[in-house]
Amino acid sequence: WALAEEESAANAYPCAPFLARAIWARGVPSLDFRAFGRIASPSSTSFHSSTSTPTLLPRPLPPPPPLHPTSTASQRPRHPQAPAPLASANCPPPALRPPPAHGRPREGAQAEAPPPRLIPPPSVRAGPRPIAPPSLRRPAAAAWLEELRPPATEVDSLTSLFRTRCTMTSLTDLLLATTVPDKRPHAESQIRAAEQANVEQYFTALAQELANAEKPVVARQLSGLLLKNGLASKDPNRSRELKARWEALPAQSRVLVRECTANALIAPELDIGKAAAQVLAKIGSIEIPSGEWPGLVPLLLTHVTNTDPRARQISLITLGYLCEDLVLLQEDGITIGDEISNNILTAVVQGMRDGDAITKLEAARAFYHAVVLAQRNFRNERERDFIMTVITETCKTAGAEVVQIAAFECLVQIATEYYDFLGAYMNTIGTLTLETIKVAPEKVAVPAMEFWSTVCDEELYLKELVSDGAADQRKPLNIIGQALPFLVPLLCETLTKQQSEEDDDTWNLAMAAGTCLQLVAQVVGDACVDLVLQFVEANFGNPDWKYREAAVLAYGSIMEGPSSEKMLPLVQRSYSHLVQRLQDPSVAVRDTVSWTIGRICQFHPAIVPIKELTPVLGERLRDVPRVSSNICWVIQVLAESQPNCSGLQAADTTPLSEFFPSLAQALLQVVTRPDAEERQLRMAGYNALSTLCNHSGNDCLGHMATLAQEMLNHLAMSFKNVDRECELQGLICGVLTALVQRLRERVLPAAEKIMEETLKVISAYQQVKGGAQVLQEEALLLVDALAISIGPNFERFMPHFAPHLRVGLQNYEDIQVCLMATGVIGDLCRALGGKIITYCDTILQILYTNLQNTAVDKKIKAAIMSSFGDIAIAITGDFEKYLAPVLKMLLEASNTKLQDGPANNEEWIEYLNTLREGVLEAYTGIIYGLRDSGKSALFKESVNSVLMFVQTITEDTTTTEAVMKAALGVVGDLISVFQQELAHHLGQAPFLARLVEFANRCQDPNTQKTAQWLRSLLQRYGR
């Protein structure tokens, strides 16, 4: 970047002048590495003290009024059946469709494509704990008991703020104007101006508007919406600001807002009550943890016991909103008082026993969140028994499917949160859920099926903990194993309940059964195979396509879990029959057969007959898009299964080598088909082509050079069709990235053309984003691969690429791109060596600014640490000008301790280890860079800090193997530089003994070599 940019850069970053020398002259403020993003913590366990009798006691209820008919039934959203965007070789290509996120994330899981008619599971299983099931938040329509009418003079005095700042005559007119398209922008700007002018009057005026029964319903509803938005935001940093702003308001104003909102809660209009409910929940989430509003929950409890069912309903809706927020606070490590949690749980459980169906529904929806706060209750056997009785009875509610759905979703939540307590209730729950799956309407049966999938999730998770030695006292209850004779036949039979051959986007019972069967196979392994084969053999030749497809789907579903020894004879017997089924007249059957073949390739690659299968795959690529897309995935999985075939470690040849030209040509035909947009076939084709290039033998490199020219032609032609995300250009860039990584220096003749087309992609992406300063992810990966491949020759492209790198580094809101751009720095340092110094002032300035910015994600900040080391190695002695402030930042980062974060929090532990590894890598780079330039003495003052850091690492039981390896290397680096001066003092250091002990246990040959090198240094210099 030219120095002419200094002024604009300084304006963009007033806290950090453009030139590095100015930055360092000012000194570096303390950086809080504990505040790098929000760290979730596990649910705390706070509740009332244990008693001999349950506190969740039933209350006498009035006779139930007539049931209100329910309008709609909830459906779980289904994830799109689509391949994931093409990834680079740096990030292995993801699954064609996102795999089910069952329970807790499991590292090392291989990406897979779910079956053609088997879509990832519903939203309640989209993470460790779903926040809102689909059936939540549909309050019933009703009238209310009371209304609040504040004195008109009081309202007028509060709305005077708006009259003085706006041309409107009243707050009401201003709010109504926001519903008129041509008046809306002006009205919204006036509202924002009023908020900025006096936030206290802004809140009180809106609260009075919300509570005033004489005002239009729309104006009151909008007042509630503005109040809620003034209390919380989806952005965590903004939410913290809004919380602090609310807490800074005078006490009398906050009380006024509370009272007005509480009175509006029981307004006759449903929309007013719902708006007030959201406001009360947001206020409660701020003031309940601090004890500022202890009366909120008791206030809601008075309505829950009201004789009018509609008052009970709106209070339960409010409790649902409130619990949803309290759960998030608890995950952030904030303790929710025992009395609060118990009172809420008492209210919602009581509501679930209500005779009114709508009240029961809202109570079940609130319970879904409240149960997460109920750890203490679930540890009390009598209270747990009472809760489980109420839940199971609610699941049986006659004539109200939507209530049953919500109740089964609560049962799923209990299985997620309290698996360890399920054993005593499985006789009841098992009978209830299996019978529901058999005979209940599909919308009710799906969440009942989900219960079993969730139990599978938990048992898989516990099995992993046991294998890792981290399960403590927990262990799987073998619920799935015990239920196997009843569960597997039911799942197989449920697979036949498809209604149409069309692969629509509706999550249904058959899909849920397929997902559950996959999980069962992972849990029990070989034990399920014979049970499934009975169904497969009975229905594989059935004249009804539903049964044929179900048989193939069941067979494919058990490929993950059972051993290859168990599956080998079965695959050998079934292979020819499966290939024949690729000619089945039913497109659904062909689709599922192709998926099943892919599963065999994925989980049992050693038993796949590649020579017989590959020609068939090339032929079936001409099938309809739905089938062809899955065939592309099979080719991708087959390529990934080739041993020792990736990048520089590629084998000379592979079993796929002889088929590379024909497969590549067939895939090129796929991506140019007129119907390639259907079923995302074009994306699947490019994904398969990229993976094929990545994992083929070196004897295919000649074909790859020709293919690279073909891809450049594709890219040049693609600009005729540029969508909002430049998806097509990204897919082609992904293939080119794979080719560049494989061709290495052979790509140099085409480097200029590649760079030219890549810059066009970046420019096109910025244009479709309205001129925003953004960076296209796949284009960045392609440039990175090119720099690695051509090394110093990339210098001529840096003036063109540097501005885009700067955009990527500064665009921290796009975490993935900013993280990748930070990683590109290291690759550029290795490619350009000392020539990178031309750009170091600007790069260091941006990295420093990102470290200071609390809005920057913690993963980015951890990655920045490594970049410091990369730069130091590249520019050697010239790093002296940056040394002091960088060392101070590294010291701040190294002082981050385990106890600084939430206790027993996996995310915090992972982040801490990533941060420490980055710091150690930075120290290594700096040590080598200064040593190579004869300036090691500059680092001497920091040696003690580094050794204390290593000592902290060795004493931490959560330290990962990667961090220990890096610590071992840093100690060796220091001794090799400072020799006797340092080694003399380290001979008896306790942390050194722990490092050596770690190395002796480690099976990694490189680590053992490093340890041997360290011992030789100590022997040489420690005398």
Side-chain angles (χ1 to χ4, degrees):
W1 296 277
L3 290 179
E5 298 182 50
E6 177 177 350
E7 181 177 354
S8 61
N11 292 333
Y13 298 93
C15 62
F18 179 69
L19 294 180
R21 58 179 177 272
I23 299 175
W24 312 141
R26 293 178 55 193
V28 183
S30 177
L31 302 175
D32 185 1
F33 283 80
R34 294 168 294 179
F36 285 178
R38 295 184 62 187
I39 305 296
S41 65
S43 302
S44 59
T45 54
S46 60
F47 247 85
H48 67 285
S49 60
S50 177
T51 58
S52 58
T53 58
T55 59
L56 300 176
L57 299 178
R59 300 176 185 270
L61 293 177
L67 296 182
H68 296 267
T70 54
S71 56
T72 58
S74 67
Q75 278 195 342
R76 296 178 177 277
R78 175 191 184 195
H79 293 292
Q81 179 180 349
L86 189 65
S88 74
N90 292 338
C91 302
L96 294 183
R97 287 174 289 187
H102 303 310
R104 297 161 178 78
R106 295 183 281 275
E107 294 183 3
Q110 185 176 9
E112 68 167 290
R117 304 177 69 83
L118 189 63
I119 305 305
S123 60
V124 19
R125 298 175 52 223
R129 180 184 299 115
I131 294 303
S135 62
L136 284 179
R137 306 299 168 242
R138 292 182 183 167
W144 300 110
L145 299 174
E146 306 175 29
E147 59 185 69
L148 178 72
R149 300 187 181 184
T153 54
E154 187 177 7
V155 176
D156 289 342
S157 66
L158 291 168
T159 57
S160 63
L161 165 69
F162 290 89
R163 289 201 299 270
T164 57
R165 295 194 58 85
C166 313
T167 58
M168 299 289 177
T169 59
S170 71
L171 171 59
T172 303
D173 293 337
L174 188 61
L175 293 169
L176 294 176
T178 62
T179 65
V180 181
D182 58 341
K183 296 181 180 180
R184 180 174 179 175
H186 183 59
E188 288 180 344
S189 67
Q190 291 179 313
I191 290 174
R192 284 192 295 269
E195 180 181 13
Q196 295 169 3
N198 190 319
V199 69
E200 178 186 357
Q201 292 187 24
Y202 175 78
F203 272 115
T204 53
L206 290 174
Q208 293 284 9
E209 186 81 9
L210 174 63
N212 192 338
E214 297 179 353
K215 298 294 183 178
V217 171
V218 172
R220 298 174 68 190
Q221 186 180 3
L222 290 172
S223 295
L225 178 63
L226 289 173
L227 276 173
K228 179 184 75 72
N229 291 343
L231 292 163
S233 168
K234 293 182 180 179
D235 177 56
N237 294 316
R238 177 60 177 162
S239 271
R240 285 191 286 270
E241 294 173 1
L242 295 176
K243 175 185 175 182
R245 186 178 73 170
W246 168 261
E247 292 173 332
L249 292 178
Q252 64 271 22
S253 297
R254 286 186 280 119
V255 170
L256 175 63
V257 174
R258 292 182 206 154
E259 292 176 349
C260 289
T261 308
N263 281 283
L265 185 67
I266 52 175
E269 300 83 7
L270 173 64
D271 289 340
I272 304 302
K274 289 174 61 179
Q278 294 182 67
V279 176
L280 286 178
K282 295 304 178 187
I283 296 175
S285 67
I286 296 174
E287 297 195 338
I288 284 178
S290 61
E292 290 291 325
W293 194 7
L296 174 58
V297 173
L299 171 66
L300 296 173
L301 294 182
T302 62
H303 293 312
V304 171
T305 58
N306 198 299
T307 56
D308 188 327
R310 292 159 295 188
R312 302 199 293 271
Q313 292 156 19
I314 194 64
S315 296
L316 289 166
I317 290 172
T318 309
L319 286 171
Y321 287 138
L322 178 61
C323 287
E324 188 171 358
D325 289 337
L326 293 180
V327 167
L328 295 176
L329 292 175
Q330 184 172 267
E331 290 177 345
D332 283 342
I334 297 175
T335 300
I336 307 302
D338 296 352
E339 184 179 358
I340 293 293
S341 302
N342 190 64
N343 285 340
I344 292 175
L345 192 63
T346 300
V348 297
V349 170
Q350 178 63 30
M352 293 174 72
R353 304 178 71 243
D354 199 300
D356 176 65
I358 300 178
T359 303
K360 190 184 293 284
L361 172 63
E362 297 304 341
R365 290 169 172 170
F367 179 90
Y368 182 86
H369 301 292
V371 72
V372 180
L373 306 173
Q375 295 96 339
R376 189 66 174 270
N377 299 81
F378 262 81
R379 292 191 181 96
N380 184 305
E381 183 177 358
R382 297 190 65 186
E383 294 186 20
R384 184 172 68 245
D385 290 345
F386 182 71
I387 293 171
M388 296 304 296
T389 299
V390 172
I391 284 292
T392 53
E393 289 302 317
T394 306
C395 289
K396 302 174 186 176
T397 303
E401 291 182 10
V402 68
V403 175
Q404 292 180 283
I405 292 170
F408 275 111
E409 286 172 343
C410 291
L411 202 57
V412 171
Q413 184 79 305
I414 290 172
T416 301
E417 298 293 330
Y418 306 107
Y419 166 86
D420 294 340
F421 297 111
L422 284 181
Y425 309 99
M426 281 311 301
N427 285 338
T428 301
I429 297 174
T431 303
L432 171 66
T433 51
L434 294 177
E435 188 64 24
T436 299
I437 293 169
K438 288 180 184 177
V439 301
E442 183 169 291
K443 294 176 182 178
V444 180
V446 166
M449 179 77 73
E450 182 65 24
F451 169 82
W452 288 100
S453 295
T454 303
V455 172
C456 288
D457 289 336
E458 295 304 313
E459 297 203 342
L460 283 171
Y461 175 66
L462 287 174
K463 285 175 64 177
E464 291 178 0
L465 289 183
V466 170
S467 65
D468 293 341
D472 296 327
Q473 302 300 318
R474 299 189 66 195
K475 60 180 180 180
L477 301 177
N478 194 30
I479 292 174
I480 299 300
Q482 296 179 59
L484 212 57
F486 313 100
L487 182 59
V488 168
L490 177 59
L491 293 176
C492 291
E493 187 63 30
T494 308
L495 292 176
T496 67
K497 294 186 177 181
Q498 296 283 16
Q499 300 302 317
S500 169
E501 284 196 80
E502 292 300 318
D503 187 18
D504 62 20
D505 291 334
T506 304
W507 174 257
N508 57 44
L509 185 58
M511 296 174 185
T515 298
C516 189
L517 184 57
Q518 289 183 56
L519 291 168
V520 167
Q522 294 174 51
V523 173
V524 302
D526 293 352
C528 71
V529 173
D530 294 338
L531 288 170
V532 172
L533 283 183
Q534 294 176 17
F535 176 81
V536 174
E537 292 170 354
N539 294 282
F540 192 81
N542 195 298
D544 189 335
W545 71 267
K546 295 180 182 179
Y547 287 84
R548 294 199 307 276
E549 188 205 19
V552 177
L553 183 54
Y555 188 49
S557 296
I558 62 170
M559 288 301 155
E560 183 181 7
S563 63
S564 292
E565 291 76 14
K566 178 73 172 179
M567 300 305 297
L568 175 59
L570 305 178
V571 171
Q572 288 176 337
R573 292 200 307 266
S574 65
Y575 170 73
S576 60
H577 300 289
L578 280 174
V579 171
Q580 289 175 6
R581 280 289 174 219
L582 285 172
Q583 307 285 345
D584 196 280
S586 167
V587 64
V589 174
R590 300 199 305 275
D591 188 17
T592 305
V593 168
S594 62
W595 173 80
T596 297
I597 292 174
R599 296 267 294 180
I600 295 172
C601 296
Q602 186 173 23
F603 298 108
H604 307 283
I607 62 179
V608 175
I610 293 179
K611 287 187 177 295
E612 293 81 4
L613 176 61
T614 307
V616 176
L617 297 178
E619 178 186 348
R620 299 316 302 171
L621 282 172
R622 294 193 290 269
D623 207 331
V624 297
R626 175 176 169 183
V627 178
S628 181
S629 180
N630 258 323
I631 296 294
C632 289
W633 174 67
V634 175
I635 294 173
Q636 177 179 338
V637 171
L638 201 59
E640 288 173 340
S641 68
Q642 300 307 299
N644 301 321
C645 286
S646 180
L648 293 176
Q649 288 74 42
D652 291 335
T653 188
T654 75
L656 281 180
S657 290
E658 62 179 291
F659 302 105
F660 183 89
S662 59
L663 283 178
Q665 186 59 38
L667 290 170
L668 287 175
Q669 293 173 359
V670 164
V671 299
T672 56
R673 281 171 53 163
D675 58 357
E677 289 298 323
E678 296 180 26
R679 309 286 178 168
Q680 295 187 313
L681 176 58
R682 179 173 286 112
M683 180 184 293
Y686 279 123
N687 270 331
L689 188 57
S690 173
T691 306
L692 183 64
C693 294
N694 247 334
H695 295 272
S696 291
N698 288 329
D699 53 351
C700 299
L701 290 177
H703 300 294
M704 292 184 198
T706 304
L707 186 58
Q709 293 298 327
E710 181 69 22
M711 284 297 99
L712 285 171
N713 294 336
H714 278 228
L715 188 55
M717 297 294 294
S718 72
F719 294 107
K720 298 177 181 178
N721 179 25
V722 179
D723 61 19
R724 180 69 179 166
E725 299 299 326
C726 288
E727 181 179 315
L728 176 58
Q729 290 74 26
L731 291 170
I732 300 171
C733 283
V735 180
L736 281 169
T737 298
L739 290 167
V740 168
Q741 289 172 328
R742 290 303 308 277
L743 291 170
R744 304 293 291 184
E745 65 278 354
R746 297 180 184 87
V747 81
L748 187 58
E752 187 167 346
K753 182 64 175 176
I754 292 173
M755 196 67 194
E756 178 184 344
E757 295 299 324
T758 306
L759 293 176
K760 287 182 182 178
V761 174
I762 295 174
S763 178
Y765 186 66
Q766 292 175 343
Q767 289 178 13
V768 298
K769 293 297 183 180
Q773 291 299 294
V774 291
L775 194 56
Q776 215 274 350
E777 185 174 330
E778 286 79 9
L780 175 60
L781 288 173
L782 178 53
V783 174
D784 185 42
L786 185 63
I788 295 171
S789 296
I790 65 176
N793 292 296
F794 190 79
E795 183 188 6
R796 60 190 170 120
F797 301 127
M798 273 302 293
H800 307 285
F801 174 63
H804 299 298
L805 176 62
R806 180 178 181 178
V807 167
L809 293 172
Q810 292 175 336
N811 188 15
Y812 60 84
E813 294 179 349
D814 189 337
I815 296 174
Q816 184 62 25
V817 168
C818 187
L819 195 60
M820 290 167 52
T822 304
V824 168
I825 294 172
D827 292 331
L828 289 175
C829 288
R830 285 180 282 276
L832 301 178
K835 296 178 181 178
I836 192 68
I837 193 168
T838 306
Y839 308 94
C840 281
D841 280 353
T842 300
I843 289 175
L844 265 295
Q845 173 217 338
I846 298 173
L847 297 183
Y848 175 65
T849 303
N850 283 348
L851 286 175
Q852 283 187 306
N853 191 342
T854 57
V856 175
D857 188 88
K858 61 183 182 295
K859 293 189 293 292
I860 297 172
K861 296 187 176 184
I864 289 174
M865 300 296 113
S866 300
S867 297
F868 289 146
D870 294 329
I871 294 171
I873 290 178
I875 64 176
T876 62
D878 290 325
F879 193 76
E880 179 181 356
K881 63 187 292 190
Y882 312 116
L883 183 62
V886 168
L887 287 177
K888 185 171 184 179
M889 285 184 276
L890 293 175
L891 179 62
E892 293 284 348
S894 65
N895 286 335
T896 308
K897 303 292 193 303
L898 178 65
Q899 55 268 30
D900 293 332
N904 302 318
N905 183 270
E906 293 180 4
E907 185 180 352
W908 170 254
I909 293 172
E910 180 183 359
Y911 162 65
L912 183 60
N913 279 297
T914 303
L915 178 66
R916 286 173 170 176
E917 187 176 1
V919 171
L920 291 170
E921 290 174 354
Y923 280 139
T924 293
I926 293 171
I927 292 168
Y928 274 103
L930 295 178
R931 185 198 66 179
D932 292 347
S933 59
K935 296 183 178 181
S936 295
L938 297 173
F939 194 77
K940 185 176 292 187
E941 292 183 1
S942 300
V943 170
N944 193 49
S945 299
V946 176
L947 295 178
M948 291 177 63
F949 179 43
V950 172
Q951 178 176 327
T952 300
I953 288 172
T954 60
E955 293 172 348
D956 189 342
T957 57
T958 65
T959 299
T960 62
E961 185 173 305
V963 175
M964 289 292 283
K965 290 178 183 178
L968 191 69
V970 165
V971 174
D973 295 333
L974 287 173
I975 295 175
S976 68
V977 170
F978 295 102
Q979 301 179 359
Q980 291 94 342
E981 186 178 2
L982 177 60
H984 178 71
H985 300 284
L986 287 183
Q988 303 302 320
F991 72 81
L992 198 59
R994 286 190 288 268
L995 284 175
V996 173
E997 180 184 353
F998 158 75
N1000 292 334
R1001 295 194 314 266
C1002 186
Q1003 301 299 315
D1004 181 16
N1006 292 328
T1007 303
Q1008 294 173 354
K1009 287 182 180 179
T1010 303
Q1012 185 177 0
W1013 168 67
L1014 176 59
R1015 282 192 289 266
S1016 67
L1017 290 174
L1018 288 170
Q1019 292 173 358
R1020 183 189 310 171
Y1021 300 119
R1023 298 172 183 173

